[in-house]
Amino acid sequence: MSDILKSELPLRKGAGSDSARLRRAPLLARALRRPELGALSGVILIYLIFFAVAGSSGMFTVEGQINILTVAAEIGIIAAAVALLMIAGEFDLSIGSMIGFAGVIIGLGTTVYGLPLTVSILLALVVCAAIGALNGYLTVKTGLPSFVVTLASLFILRGLAISGTRYISGYTQISKITESDPESPMIPLFAGKVGQGFFRWMAEVGWIGTKPNGAPSIEGLPVSILWWIALTAGATWILLRTRFGNWIFAVGGDAVAALRVGVPVNRVKIILFSLTAAAAVLFAATQITEVGSTDTLRGTLKEFDAIIAVVIGGTLLTGGYGSAVGALLGALIYGTVQIGILYTGVDSDLFKVFLGVMVLLAVLFNNYVRRRATQER
Amino acid sequence: MQPIIELRNVSKSFGTVVALQDLSFAVHAGEVHCLLGDNGAGKSTLIKILSGVHPPSKGSYLIGGEPAHITSPRQALDRGIATVYQDLAMIPLLSITRNFFLGREPMKGVSPFARLDVAHADRIVVKELAEIGIDVRDPSQAVGTLSGGERQCLAIARAVHFGARVLILDEPTSALGVHQAAIVLKYVAQARSRGLGVVFISHNIHHAFAVADRFTLLNRGRSMGTFPRSAVTRDDVLHVMAGGEDLRRVEREISELGARRMASG
């Protein structure tokens, strides 16, 4: 009767449980499974191309590289949070408007209501994190795609930022924000320059230029670059070494299966929407402390820049697979091409064409990697 | 011997629809109890009552002889009743280890530096899988790289590792080929010999006969009886499952139709 059981089975008999059995796949095979692989090859390829085309143009000086990193850091700060959200299978189209909205809270708080910069930044953080959580709550409760819910918030937040600012101050721009609180510890925290001694030394030995007054042409490394790297490291730690990170992958991979083993799917998503909004506040804070002013249109289209960086970094549009380091590399590609194209003498509007092509290629490549990673072997 | 879980005269209705009527069902330790029935016979409702998704409308649910009040899958799981679903058991893009420990991740270190104990988790997974004869080259590979049978086994191994005493397997072999199904059936037999009670739901009479000790046949929400394997043949079971009487009537009507055509032509 149990003839099925007696038939020859293609079973490899387990040899026991000694740790020698814990073999790792060869390095190359493991590298091919990493989501960052495509982006890393992309970074190398793009550096080689620019080195060939614009090698002697000043792009590969310390100044040129710092310009690139500064642009990359802006995108990268939000991309780190967006990577987590997208791995969990959700989108946030309201990031750009959230940046504008946060800027308005910080700006009006400091200039019109006389709050210290620290307080208005914290206020923006609390308000925007709450709005982000609301985005998440509406998404999980209505069951609508987050694409739709956050498209609504994109317009609502931008509209509120513009009309609110005009109603309160009469303008759509807010200036003299840092001037209202010039001693605020927020200014060095978000717009400081680090390693100034090192940069003075580089000027002395002639690696970087000097201004007519003898000061180095670059004061130091913008602190936003450190924020970018720290956030990426934090997001990577969460993804790879915490319970919450495991849940992020699971929620994006298959929310129903995750729910069945007890993962609080809705809570994970709401927290991630909230974190994304907090990253938008951080972006607004670095911009305002650097420039000293803000505009109600600040951040427009940044949501797409962040999504592009994340996708180029190997994260699947459908969720369940991706990495924060990939998002960092994606942001680096973004910055390198946007700044690098200025050095080549090519029409800089072609940057957008490049981005479009890159996104398409990255999505195709990611889908290929996904098929490989989940193929029966 | 005391059954591990038992339903006594259980009925379940959803509004005016009666899904189960006066059904009794029991699983003992070290037994595979196979639940057979056509679509709509009430198998899913029965699974949902056993796994804590729905409470019964009438009748009682006993665990270890004691009346139990189970209101969520989590509670059933805590009492050692684990359900493995056909398709939603595993997340294909997630690694074998991460799937195995999903929701119960082992940690090491002190907060805020607490972190997943990846090495420990990998060792346990390789050991558990080796015991059922699946040789995993690398536990960090995605579950999608495993065959369908291996995936079902992994889901069952996970339930066993986390203390299941009763396994409810919902169509564990229906989407699988012959060899893959054999891997799963072999593992089910192994779980039985380790003293677990198994509720095995299937459409496939051959798979059911390979492992079952007892059968309960369901038809339109009622039990057609529970039989030990020695008391029934495949044909008996097949006959009841295919709705025997219905089929015979259809055959008769078709032949009558043919006869009338002959007469008129």
Side-chain angles (χ1 to χ4, degrees):
Chain A
M1 241 173 221
S2 49
D3 40 338
I4 295 180
L5 291 187
K6 289 184 198 113
S7 65
E8 276 297 309
L9 294 181
L11 283 182
R12 289 148 295 194
K13 203 66 202 128
S17 60
D18 51 307
S19 56
R21 287 176 33 75
L22 251 185
R23 265 168 293 138
R24 284 275 172 184
L27 188 66
L28 185 68
R30 262 187 296 149
L32 278 172
R33 281 211 302 267
R34 296 299 313 161
E36 303 89 355
L37 179 80
L40 187 61
S41 348
V43 169
I44 294 169
L45 185 68
I46 278 161
Y47 263 84
L48 288 177
I49 291 173
F50 275 105
F51 198 77
V53 178
S56 56
S57 62
M59 179 182 168
F60 291 91
T61 60
V62 176
E63 288 99 335
Q65 290 300 304
I66 290 206
N67 281 338
I68 288 173
L69 289 178
T70 308
V71 171
E74 278 188 5
I75 300 300
I77 283 172
I78 34 182
V82 170
L84 299 189
L85 184 68
M86 284 180 68
I87 293 171
E90 300 293 346
F91 280 100
D92 189 348
L93 296 186
S94 67
I95 299 168
S97 301
M98 194 73 83
I99 292 169
F101 194 77
V104 163
I105 296 177
I106 297 170
L108 293 178
T110 310
T111 57
V112 176
Y113 298 102
L115 297 172
L117 196 50
T118 311
V119 174
S120 40
I121 288 176
L122 281 177
L123 183 68
L125 189 65
V126 170
V127 171
C128 292
I131 297 172
L134 183 64
N135 273 338
Y137 181 81
L138 289 175
T139 301
V140 300
K141 285 299 163 193
T142 59
L144 290 171
S146 50
F147 193 85
V148 174
V149 172
T150 58
L151 184 64
S153 353
L154 182 161
F155 285 101
I156 294 169
L157 286 174
R158 187 66 76 190
L160 286 177
I162 297 172
S163 78
T165 309
R166 195 182 283 124
Y167 177 75
I168 291 169
S169 73
Y171 304 97
T172 57
Q173 290 173 337
I174 308 165
S175 53
K176 297 186 175 155
I177 300 172
T178 43
E179 276 175 48
S180 307
D181 187 4
E183 297 302 310
S184 172
M186 294 295 112
I187 298 170
L189 181 64
F190 293 118
K193 305 278 186 279
V194 292
Q196 301 190 356
F198 180 64
F199 278 80
R200 269 197 301 278
W201 174 80
M202 282 202 289
E204 275 166 32
V205 297
W207 287 4
I208 56 176
T210 46
K211 291 178 185 165
N213 65 1
S217 60
I218 314 167
E219 234 183 298
L221 191 70
V223 78
S224 61
I225 295 172
L226 298 185
W227 275 103
W228 172 37
I229 293 167
L231 284 185
T232 305
T236 303
W237 171 264
I238 289 174
L239 281 176
L240 299 183
R241 285 292 174 269
T242 68
R243 212 165 257 174
F244 188 69
N246 205 28
W247 296 352
I248 293 175
F249 282 115
V251 164
D254 187 337
V256 180
L259 203 59
R260 286 221 165 120
V261 292
V263 174
V265 172
N266 291 353
R267 184 150 41 103
V268 170
K269 288 188 175 178
I270 291 171
I271 289 173
L272 290 176
F273 273 104
S274 200
L275 279 181
T276 308
V281 178
L282 185 58
F283 182 102
T286 56
Q287 291 250 301
I288 287 175
T289 48
E290 176 73 36
V291 191
S293 64
T294 191
D295 185 300
T296 50
L297 291 177
R298 190 52 67 71
T300 305
L301 289 182
K302 284 287 177 252
E303 56 277 342
F304 289 111
D305 292 344
I307 291 172
I308 286 171
V310 170
V311 170
I312 291 176
T315 296
L316 284 180
L317 282 169
T318 42
Y321 187 76
S323 99
V325 174
L328 177 140
L329 295 172
L332 188 59
I333 290 177
Y334 184 101
T336 306
V337 178
Q338 189 179 25
I339 298 298
I341 208 162
L342 300 173
Y343 286 99
T344 58
V346 177
D347 180 4
S348 60
D349 288 324
L350 287 177
F351 170 60
K352 296 221 158 65
V353 177
F354 165 84
L355 273 190
V357 173
M358 270 305 272
V359 167
L360 206 56
L361 288 178
V363 171
L364 290 174
F365 181 77
N366 292 349
N367 285 345
Y368 166 75
V369 170
R370 186 230 329 245
R371 268 200 307 279
R372 260 192 65 86
T374 58
Q375 223 162 38
E376 274 188 29
R377 278 185 226 132
Chain B
M1 193 175 68
Q2 186 84 265
I4 320 183
I5 56 172
E6 186 180 1
L7 296 179
R8 274 190 202 156
N9 308 105
V10 159
S11 297
K12 176 72 193 174
S13 42
F14 299 97
T16 54
V17 181
V18 180
L20 283 180
Q21 204 167 6
D22 199 29
L23 182 119
S24 294
F25 179 84
V27 191
H28 294 87
E31 157 185 78
V32 177
H33 193 150
C34 192
L35 202 56
L36 290 167
D38 202 1
N39 291 336
K43 288 181 308 211
S44 331
T45 309
L46 184 57
I47 299 169
K48 284 181 177 153
I49 291 174
L50 291 175
S51 61
V53 177
H54 299 312
S57 310
K58 260 187 264 171
S60 48
Y61 185 177
L62 292 85
I63 298 177
E66 303 282 321
H69 190 64
I70 300 281
T71 53
S72 80
R74 194 81 224 176
Q75 283 178 14
L77 212 55
D78 290 342
R79 303 287 297 266
I81 300 160
T83 310
V84 176
Y85 293 93
Q86 182 187 171
D87 46 348
L88 293 165
M90 290 281 148
I91 298 169
L93 280 164
L94 211 53
S95 80
I96 297 173
T97 303
R98 283 174 174 260
N99 259 296
F100 194 92
F101 287 98
L102 184 57
R104 302 180 186 100
E105 294 83 357
M107 305 295 285
K108 66 176 177 186
V110 203
S111 155
F113 302 107
R115 57 205 180 274
L116 297 183
D117 195 346
V118 178
H120 172 71
D122 279 348
R123 267 197 308 277
I124 290 178
V125 168
V126 171
K127 179 170 159 286
E128 291 283 340
L129 288 183
E131 272 174 26
I132 58 177
I134 297 174
D135 185 15
V136 181
R137 283 143 289 184
D138 179 359
S140 68
Q141 76 196 47
V143 153
T145 60
L146 297 177
S147 69
E150 287 173 330
R151 255 184 261 184
Q152 277 293 334
C153 290
L154 181 61
I156 299 171
R158 173 172 67 182
V160 174
H161 178 80
F162 289 107
R165 294 183 302 139
V166 181
L167 286 174
I168 300 167
L169 307 180
D170 181 17
E171 304 267 8
T173 56
S174 65
L176 303 178
V178 177
H179 280 298
Q180 296 297 324
I183 295 173
V184 176
L185 292 174
K186 196 173 161 132
Y187 185 33
V188 170
Q190 209 180 92
R192 168 178 58 197
S193 60
R194 282 165 75 168
L196 276 86
V198 179
V199 180
F200 188 95
I201 293 99
S202 186
H203 264 112
N204 189 316
I205 185 72
H206 303 290
H207 293 171
F209 257 82
V211 289
D213 299 300
R214 288 199 294 164
F215 294 97
T216 290
L217 304 178
L218 285 183
N219 192 12
R220 295 183 192 180
R222 287 172 181 276
S223 169
M224 313 288 288
T226 299
F227 313 96
R229 187 170 65 184
S230 53
V232 284
T233 65
R234 285 179 203 221
D235 284 344
D236 292 342
V237 177
L238 213 52
H239 179 72
V240 178
M241 270 184 76
E245 279 311 311
D246 291 349
L247 207 62
R248 214 164 283 164
R249 199 176 58 238
V250 171
E251 275 171 16
R252 203 167 52 236
E253 283 171 6
I254 289 172
S255 64
E256 275 170 16
L257 228 92
R260 216 176 298 157
R261 270 232 317 259
M262 294 280 280
S264 66

